[in-house]
Amino acid sequence: MSDASETTKDTITYDDFVKIDLRVATIVESEAHPNADRLLKLQLDLGPLGPRQICAGVRAFYEPADLVGRQIIVVANLAPRKIRGEASDGMLLAASVLGESEGDENPPQVVDVVLLAPGTAVPAGSSVG
């Protein structure tokens, strides 16, 4: 449970929110990013939207082979960009679990990352919302 001292990002309007296209993707391939120690390169099946590649900063928390076949939630309409020389066409959704920090001057550290996923298997490309 969060406390009142935590900050949130700026409020957005409903019209801003509905622009985000959240979809279920199935991970079909996963490998370490060749140019970044913290990234994995994921090949996704987005059903009728076709295949996609994304780069995600979850390498410290997941073995690439363990992700193959898993379903995740992605932002499907994020503008593509290059991340350390590799195309990334979307973004996965995940929760960062913060642990205790060493002393008051150090920020809390991420101790786990949990990928957001549907509760049961659904067709790849299914809309979330």
Side-chain angles (χ1 to χ4, degrees):
M1 180 173 257
S2 63
D3 66 31
S5 67
E6 290 186 29
T7 61
T8 60
K9 296 181 179 181
D10 292 340
T11 300
I12 62 172
T13 68
Y14 178 80
D15 290 338
D16 292 331
F17 178 75
V18 296
K19 292 177 187 176
I20 302 169
D21 187 10
L22 299 176
R23 299 288 181 126
V24 175
T26 303
I27 301 171
V28 295
E29 291 180 40
S30 176
E31 64 183 316
H33 189 295
N35 302 317
D37 294 339
R38 296 181 180 164
L39 298 176
L40 290 180
K41 188 169 69 167
L42 306 175
Q43 304 301 324
L44 306 176
D45 173 9
L46 273 165
L49 298 180
R52 297 277 178 94
Q53 175 175 290
I54 65 170
C55 297
V58 298
R59 189 168 171 180
F61 304 98
Y62 293 94
E63 289 296 323
D66 294 340
L67 294 177
V68 175
R70 287 186 62 170
Q71 289 195 308
I72 58 174
I73 307 300
V74 299
V75 179
N77 63 335
L78 189 65
R81 62 183 272 195
K82 290 266 189 188
I83 300 178
R84 304 290 300 260
E86 293 287 340
S88 188
D89 192 15
M91 179 182 288
L92 63 78
L93 298 184
S96 296
V97 180
L98 299 178
E100 296 298 318
S101 61
E102 301 274 336
D104 292 336
E105 66 280 349
N106 295 324
Q109 299 296 310
V110 175
V111 296
D112 197 11
V113 170
V114 179
L115 302 179
L116 301 187
T120 59
V122 297
S126 293
S127 184
V128 176

